[in-house]
Amino acid sequence: MSALRFYLSSSVMKKQVMGVTGLLLCGFLVSHLAGNCLIYVGSDVFNTYAYTLISNPLIYVAEAILAIIFLAHLGLAIKLTIENKTARPQNYYIKQKTGRGATFASSTMPYTGMITLVFLILHLLHFKFGPLYMTTVDGVEMRDIYKTVIEYFQSPLNVAWYIFAMISLGIHVSHGFWSAFQSIGFNHPKYNCLIKCSSKAFGVLVTLGYSALPIYCYLQGVK
């Protein structure tokens, strides 16, 4: 029993939980991007997709689970960062470059994580709780979220902020994806290179995939 209690309070367990929640959030990023790409098809398709999600009673359960996953990931990240700072209150006087040293992505994880948090809050305020427009598709009245999105991205400043946040998110997941596998014990010389390359590719996919959306929306308004 004492061994179990020790494990549950150990940094190993915290890193493993943070890794699992991180991978789950990466899965959400892919599914959310796929849904957002329907905006390229047209307003009716995009609005119908959004209406189908919102009108499903299970959406509240899904949102609650997603919120728990995100808060657990955020809370553990903060806790581990504080514990690491406490264990090593002073930075190394000289940082030696080695093949296993910290990368830009790994050393900026707390900062890119905070940028992502700020982005998420603003994202919810601007879209989920943003201006409410209504439209009718095939006789069904629904929210015109397409108009809300297009309108928001008519500001070049909003477009620039969104792309900046997506670059930050891409940097964050480019390390986090690989680190998650390390944390859960999936660490083998045979696969490490593949995982690292996949992690970087995933970061690029997230950055380019999400950054293309505001640019497209901006161009829709200037036609």
Side-chain angles (χ1 to χ4, degrees):
M1 190 65 181
S2 59
L4 177 61
R5 189 181 299 111
F6 174 78
Y7 169 72
L8 293 176
S9 61
S10 66
S11 61
V12 174
M13 187 279 294
K14 296 171 188 172
K15 290 180 180 179
Q16 289 177 342
V17 173
M18 191 166 72
V20 172
T21 54
L23 289 176
L24 291 174
L25 291 173
C26 285
F28 168 75
L29 286 175
V30 174
S31 62
H32 189 57
L33 177 59
N36 284 351
C37 284
L38 291 177
I39 202 169
Y40 300 130
V41 182
S43 59
D44 287 355
V45 174
F46 185 68
N47 286 330
T48 301
Y49 160 73
Y51 175 76
T52 302
L53 289 180
I54 296 172
S55 61
N56 189 335
L58 293 178
I59 187 64
Y60 300 106
V61 177
E63 287 179 341
I65 294 174
L66 183 61
I68 292 172
I69 293 173
F70 180 81
L71 292 175
H73 187 78
L74 174 64
L76 288 171
I78 293 174
K79 189 172 181 60
L80 284 170
T81 299
I82 294 175
E83 289 178 353
N84 289 337
K85 289 289 185 180
T86 302
R88 196 188 68 193
Q90 291 184 338
N91 294 327
Y92 292 124
Y93 182 69
I94 298 178
K95 291 184 177 181
Q96 296 182 345
K97 293 183 178 181
T98 65
R100 302 175 60 184
T103 63
F104 175 79
S106 64
S107 60
T108 57
M109 287 294 280
Y111 309 107
T112 53
M114 290 307 299
I115 292 173
T116 301
L117 176 60
V118 173
F119 166 81
L120 177 60
I121 295 172
L122 294 177
H123 187 74
L124 291 174
L125 291 175
H126 291 145
F127 297 116
K128 185 177 179 62
F129 304 107
L132 181 62
Y133 303 110
M134 302 303 294
T135 187
T136 301
V137 180
D138 295 333
V140 179
E141 187 178 33
M142 61 186 68
R143 182 184 179 188
D144 193 350
I145 187 65
Y146 179 89
K147 182 177 180 179
T148 300
V149 174
I150 295 294
E151 183 180 78
Y152 175 78
F153 286 123
Q154 292 317 293
S155 167
L157 185 61
N158 290 341
V159 174
W161 157 246
Y162 195 97
I163 294 176
F164 168 76
M166 291 307 97
I167 292 174
S168 176
L169 177 61
I171 293 172
H172 191 83
V173 299
S174 70
H175 173 75
F177 188 82
W178 168 78
S179 180
F181 282 98
Q182 298 291 299
S183 297
I184 62 179
F186 197 84
N187 183 13
H188 192 282
K190 184 177 180 180
Y191 306 108
N192 283 344
C193 182
L194 175 62
I195 296 175
K196 283 186 177 181
C197 291
S198 299
S199 186
K200 293 178 180 179
F202 182 70
V204 172
L205 172 66
V206 167
T207 299
L208 296 181
Y210 278 100
S211 294
L213 293 168
I215 296 174
Y216 172 82
C217 292
Y218 176 76
L219 295 177
Q220 290 301 104
V222 297
K223 286 182 178 179

